[in-house]
Amino acid sequence: MRTFYFTTNTSSMRVRHYRAHPQACLYFMDRRFFRGVMLKGTMEVLEDAWAKELIWQDGDTTYYPLGVADPDYCVLRFTADAGRFYQNFGSEDFAVSGPAGEEPGAPEA
């Protein structure tokens, strides 16, 4: 998997940060086996209707009371291009290759 989606408030500190500095990383860990993976890439702030509808869930009105069109609701799209795997006190870098994939529901270019 190369692309990850998150929701957040358009007014958040993170949205301001990613608009100015799109470089980002995600870290996943397995405490039980003392291993993890860090993905490095870019974070985009999406406010298009198709992106908002893509990951909207029942119950999101708890956080975005105006619904999927709430101006304080946006989507963060992370696309990985490299990573590092950690295990047994060692690490290994790797490249993430291949297309980011078609966006379900995205308008055609």
Side-chain angles (χ1 to χ4, degrees):
M1 181 174 281
R2 180 172 181 196
T3 305
F4 298 82
Y5 293 89
F6 307 91
T7 63
T8 193
N9 296 86
T10 308
S11 61
S12 74
M13 174 182 67
R14 287 290 152 236
V15 166
R16 285 190 302 278
H17 175 85
Y18 290 132
R19 283 184 171 149
H21 310 283
Q23 304 81 12
C25 67
L26 300 180
Y27 190 80
F28 301 92
M29 65 178 288
D30 181 346
R31 289 184 183 179
R32 190 173 69 165
F33 295 106
F34 197 70
R35 63 186 172 195
V37 65
M38 176 183 63
L39 299 174
K40 298 182 276 186
T42 56
M43 191 76 76
E44 299 170 82
V45 178
L46 306 176
E47 296 183 77
D48 304 282
W50 70 265
K52 291 173 143 187
E53 291 168 6
L54 178 68
I55 62 173
W56 182 262
Q57 298 286 311
D58 291 337
D60 282 352
T61 52
T62 301
Y63 308 102
Y64 311 107
L66 300 178
V68 72
D70 193 318
D72 200 32
Y73 167 59
C74 69
V75 174
L76 299 177
R77 177 175 55 196
F78 175 81
T79 304
D81 55 32
R84 177 174 277 179
F85 178 71
Y86 298 91
Q87 181 175 303
N88 299 325
F89 301 101
S91 64
E92 185 174 333
D93 292 324
F94 60 89
V96 178
S97 60
E102 287 289 318
E103 301 294 347
E108 294 190 27

